[in-house]
Amino acid sequence: MTPKEIVLEVVAAIFINFEPSAAEQLLAKNYVQHNPAVPTGAAPILGFIPGLKESGIEVEIHRVIAEGDLVVLHTTYTNAQAFGAEALVGFDVFRVEDGKVAEHWDNLTPVAAPNPSGHTQTNGPTEVSDLAKTAENKALVTDFVETILKKGAVDRITDFLSTETYIQHNSQISDGLEGLGAALAAMAEQGIQMVYTDLHMVVAEGDFVFTASEGALGGAPTAFFDLFRVDGGKIVEHWDVIADIPAKMAHENGKF
């Protein structure tokens, strides 16, 4: 099986079919967990499955992006009180090794109302295209994060973002460069700084590029999980899930 197939099977075993035995066959025993609230190892995951079944949790997978041994899922969890809310949007990243899922990172945030442009946190194109441009698109988005988000060279933003079409799925921001600029100005007026300091992960497949970055929002340590869609050499669409990085976790693996 491909890494993508392995990940989809393990997610089905845990969240859809609730089959610990099937999940056990697909999880490495020394499974490395980065979710702050879940202990590391396969055993805790397997132990949660009966409770997940009882809770009635459901998962909807909107997008699957894979590169090498990494697989990214863009998901919605409902009946998700076990994770802290009725409904949550998430990015889950899995690393596959020797035919088993060996490591997991995620960001979760409550489902919000559509943003000022009417877009939800998950709607929009779902099928990967332009596979031949994967490397080119990955380089563009990596440069965008390094140049604009980390170094703050906003005068170069049109080198990366389309001036004609920029669809925004952040629940607080409207479409276009104008919407992004207005949101950043509003944050500045409130004294809220959004700072990207470290780019930890980039996963690209065709026109989709996912990044996992560390930084701060309003001074609080923050994980930024962003998904970009590229068309014609420019970023034309953006989804994100932003989450605090707690000081204490259920393991010593860190958020990243």
Side-chain angles (χ1 to χ4, degrees):
M1 292 190 294
T2 66
K4 188 180 290 189
E5 291 168 337
I6 291 167
V7 166
L8 290 175
E9 285 214 11
V10 80
V11 169
I14 296 169
F15 292 104
I16 299 173
N17 301 319
F18 306 106
E19 296 178 335
S21 59
E24 187 174 15
Q25 299 302 312
L26 296 166
L27 290 175
K29 290 184 179 180
N30 59 346
Y31 177 83
V32 180
Q33 178 65 260
H34 295 274
N35 179 298
V38 181
T40 200
I45 299 296
L46 301 175
F48 289 153
I49 293 176
L52 292 174
K53 181 177 182 179
E54 185 176 344
S55 75
I57 195 170
E58 295 181 2
V59 61
E60 181 180 1
I61 300 172
H62 305 284
R63 292 168 187 83
V64 185
I65 299 103
E67 182 184 12
D69 60 356
L70 296 175
V71 181
V72 179
L73 303 185
H74 193 190
T75 52
T76 298
Y77 296 92
T78 51
N79 298 320
Q81 289 85 350
F83 294 162
E86 170 63 28
L88 292 163
V89 173
F91 281 115
D92 290 276
V93 186
F94 301 89
R95 183 176 61 82
V96 176
E97 181 179 343
D98 297 329
K100 296 193 175 186
V101 177
E103 195 163 6
H104 170 252
W105 303 258
D106 66 350
N107 257 12
L108 298 167
T109 193
V111 171
N115 69 12
S117 294
H119 307 302
T120 71
Q121 292 154 291
T122 58
N123 73 336
T126 59
E127 298 299 322
V128 172
S129 64
D130 291 337
L131 286 173
K133 295 183 178 179
T134 296
E136 176 185 334
N137 294 338
K138 182 176 185 177
L140 174 78
V141 170
T142 301
D143 196 9
F144 170 74
V145 174
E146 294 287 348
T147 302
I148 306 299
L149 299 181
K150 285 181 61 177
K151 297 178 182 176
V154 292
D155 57 314
R156 289 192 55 202
I157 197 164
T158 56
D159 292 349
F160 305 98
L161 301 189
S162 171
T163 58
E164 298 177 359
T165 303
Y166 181 61
I167 302 168
Q168 179 64 255
H169 294 272
N170 180 291
S171 58
Q172 303 298 316
I173 305 175
S174 58
D175 287 349
L177 295 180
E178 299 84 359
L180 180 60
L184 294 176
M187 290 173 60
E189 287 181 6
Q190 298 173 53
I192 300 172
Q193 285 190 314
M194 182 173 67
V195 179
Y196 281 60
T197 57
D198 298 280
L199 175 59
H200 289 281
M201 195 181 309
V202 185
V203 182
E205 185 179 9
D207 57 339
F208 286 105
V209 184
F210 168 85
T211 64
S213 305
E214 183 175 358
L217 183 61
T222 301
F224 300 96
F225 283 19
D226 295 280
L227 179 63
F228 304 90
R229 185 170 65 86
V230 181
D231 186 26
K234 299 285 187 178
I235 297 169
V236 297
E237 197 158 7
H238 170 250
W239 301 259
D240 66 357
V241 175
I242 300 171
D244 291 342
I245 301 175
K248 294 184 178 180
M249 302 188 188
H251 49 71
E252 297 182 356
N253 301 324
K255 180 70 175 177
F256 293 98

